[in-house]
Amino acid sequence: MLSGMNGLTRRDLMRSLSLAALAVTVPGLVAGCSSDDPGRPGDPGGSTDLELVSSDVKRSDGDLAAVPDAVASIHTLGAGLYAQGSSVSGNLALSPYSVAVALALTLNGARGATLDEMLAVLAADDTEGLNGGLNALTQEVEALAGKHRRLDGSTDDVALDSANALFGQRGVDWQKDFLDTLAREYGAGMQTVDFETATESARGVINDWTADRTHDRIEEIIPPDVLDPSTRLVLVNALYFKAPWFEPFEKGATSDRPFHLEDGSVVRVPTMTAGLASTSYGTGDGWQAVRMTYAGNDLAMTVVLPDKDRLADVEAAVGGGELASILGSVQPTSVSLSLPRWTFRTATALNEALAALGMRIAFGGGADFSGMTTEADLYVAAVLHQVFIAVDEDGTEAAAATAVAMDEMSAMLPGASVVVDRPFLFVIHDVAHGTPLFVGRVVDPRD
């Protein structure tokens, strides 16, 4: 979760929020597509050949009219997650866009109450509207990449590289509507890999693809022990962001300055200092906000500075959904700004946070993801999130990844409920053959 790059509205939403990367592992789906190289049975590190088996549906333009609702969905989710995570000490980073896309991709395979809960967490009325809005929003944001003018008249590049892909188990037959929707709304095609006999190689293929699309800032979206031979699908959405300031800081003006920590102690950190003419500034109850634009003025970062002893109040406001109002409060003015440089990476598990926000069924035995397959019962086993951010005199580089791991229900069956409260028999035996080594009956456990 991100401190220093706060959640955003329409264009602003993606301005400081970086890369979205989603990985969804779906074990135990249907069988169908195959490959000539089955790999070596039982070898988790065997070879993994790629084969394209994706939908041939072209990506649509999305629904521009649905963009405001999609932005509102991302804000709602971001506020809820920030409220859940703000109690954690230390640096905090969150990409609401990344998590929203991850959940949106996943809920396209959800049905019934599972779908209803996931839509509610995203404050979305229906899947179609959410898909269309996120599709149009993503393409609108992607179009902001390219060469842009800076304050001094020079031009520089803004990078906003987005890509989507599905990695599916060879021999699996996927629901056509599911593949068509992800191709049409998210531009996601599928390549087959071999999770069953070459799990580690498949993990390497996915991580390499993601690292390449994020310029090596997210090197391992899928950590060890997340995938296993029962994995059937990984969906990845990656967005890499790097942009220079419209009005850069002078490196020669950076010096070590005091920074007050939450425990009252003071440390000295490299701090950028400049009189900026192209900024915007706003104030509110317990805070000040400064917006700094990137080259072209289409992307920006807003820094929200709580008044002394008001951090908890401001975080509560952000967690309560007031971030859009904070972002909208600023007005163009020059600002004398001192801002620390920072670079950090955070990794967070979101299961508990999402369950607290109301997404409960997807994590349990009642989950319904039959839109992905009708031959296996799936549930969400883990939602993992990672963010990288670096801010200096030149600009900002940021990346994020969200992984949604799904397992087959058989791995977590609740089982029968047995209360041994009457006479019973017992057999002691070997497992391989069922040899009855001891057989008995118990009618009174006291004897």
Side-chain angles (χ1 to χ4, degrees):
M1 303 175 190
L2 188 60
S3 61
M5 294 186 64
N6 299 278
L8 320 131
T9 71
R10 188 154 181 178
R11 293 180 182 244
D12 293 337
L13 166 65
M14 318 285 291
R15 296 187 173 9
S16 34
L17 293 179
S18 46
L19 150 140
L22 154 77
V24 181
T25 65
V26 186
L29 300 190
V30 202
C33 307
S34 63
S35 171
D36 294 335
D37 178 14
R40 290 176 292 167
D43 177 10
S47 65
T48 300
D49 296 333
L50 297 179
E51 176 185 345
L52 186 64
V53 294
S54 61
S55 167
D56 58 2
V57 174
K58 293 183 178 180
R59 186 167 188 174
S60 73
D61 294 331
D63 183 0
L64 286 175
V67 167
D69 287 341
V71 173
S73 294
I74 298 170
H75 263 294
T76 298
L77 176 66
L81 292 176
Y82 195 95
Q84 292 295 318
S86 60
S87 61
V88 178
S89 61
N91 292 329
L92 195 62
L94 171 68
S95 171
Y97 172 82
S98 174
V99 183
V101 171
L103 295 182
L105 285 163
T106 307
L107 66 78
N108 273 279
R111 297 293 182 267
T114 306
L115 174 61
D116 292 341
E117 280 193 353
M118 296 183 76
L119 287 172
V121 168
L122 284 162
D125 293 331
D126 55 69
T127 306
E128 182 179 358
L130 182 63
N131 286 339
L134 287 175
N135 185 4
L137 175 64
T138 297
Q139 294 187 66
E140 180 177 315
V141 169
E142 290 172 353
L144 300 178
K147 285 193 174 296
H148 292 280
R149 189 170 298 278
R150 306 175 81 177
L151 181 64
D152 62 4
S154 64
T155 59
D156 208 338
D157 290 321
V158 170
L160 256 172
D161 304 326
S162 178
N164 302 292
L166 290 78
F167 298 88
Q169 172 65 39
R170 64 180 60 157
V172 168
D173 184 16
W174 308 97
Q175 295 280 30
K176 185 176 184 300
D177 287 347
F178 178 64
L179 291 179
D180 286 350
T181 298
L182 295 193
R184 181 177 59 252
E185 302 294 355
Y186 298 94
M190 178 180 284
Q191 300 175 65
T192 61
V193 293
D194 188 358
F195 295 114
E196 291 183 350
T197 65
T199 309
E200 188 62 18
S201 292
R203 186 176 78 92
V205 168
I206 297 165
N207 285 337
D208 287 348
W209 182 92
T210 305
D212 181 66
R213 268 58 178 188
T214 60
H215 299 240
D216 294 323
R217 290 309 187 186
I218 304 294
E219 295 183 344
E220 191 175 67
I221 185 175
I222 306 292
D225 302 324
V226 170
L227 308 182
D228 60 36
S230 69
T231 300
R232 291 296 176 267
L233 177 66
V234 174
L235 302 90
V236 182
N237 165 265
L239 174 64
Y240 171 80
F241 171 69
K242 186 175 183 180
W245 302 117
F246 177 73
E247 185 177 3
F249 291 83
E250 290 291 338
K251 292 184 179 180
T254 298
S255 61
D256 290 346
R257 294 196 171 203
F259 189 88
H260 298 263
L261 302 178
E262 290 183 79
D263 63 4
S265 62
V266 179
V267 296
R268 297 184 69 83
V269 300
T271 302
M272 306 178 292
T273 304
L276 303 176
S278 58
T279 50
S280 295
Y281 174 80
T283 60
D285 183 14
W287 52 266
Q288 303 174 71
V290 180
R291 174 181 294 175
M292 299 168 288
T293 58
Y294 296 102
N297 287 316
D298 287 322
L299 299 167
M301 174 189 288
T302 297
V303 172
V304 180
L305 177 65
D307 295 346
K308 186 178 179 180
D309 299 326
R310 296 294 303 274
L311 174 62
D313 295 336
V314 174
E315 288 199 306
V318 171
E322 295 183 26
L323 185 57
S325 297
I326 293 175
L327 295 176
S329 71
V330 300
Q331 298 294 325
T333 186
S334 60
V335 173
S336 176
L337 179 64
S338 294
L339 178 69
R341 294 190 312 220
W342 76 87
T343 299
F344 65 80
R345 185 189 304 274
T346 65
T348 310
L350 299 179
N351 289 38
E352 292 184 5
L354 290 170
L357 294 178
M359 184 179 137
R360 299 182 181 88
I361 296 176
F363 292 108
D368 182 356
F369 288 97
S370 57
M372 295 178 180
T373 178
T374 58
E375 295 189 7
D377 294 327
L378 308 175
Y379 72 99
V380 176
V383 181
L384 307 173
H385 189 57
Q386 185 179 144
V387 171
F388 167 86
I389 180 169
V391 176
D392 62 18
E393 292 87 349
D394 294 324
T396 302
E397 184 179 23
T402 305
V404 181
M406 303 183 69
D407 289 348
E408 190 173 356
M409 202 73 72
S410 59
M412 56 159 288
L413 289 176
S417 176
V418 179
V419 179
V420 182
D421 58 358
R422 51 191 179 275
F424 62 95
L425 305 180
F426 71 86
V427 180
I428 299 175
H429 62 91
D430 72 330
V431 174
H433 305 289
T435 307
L437 303 178
F438 300 90
V439 179
R441 182 184 70 185
V442 177
V443 295
D444 189 344
R446 297 174 301 172
D447 296 340

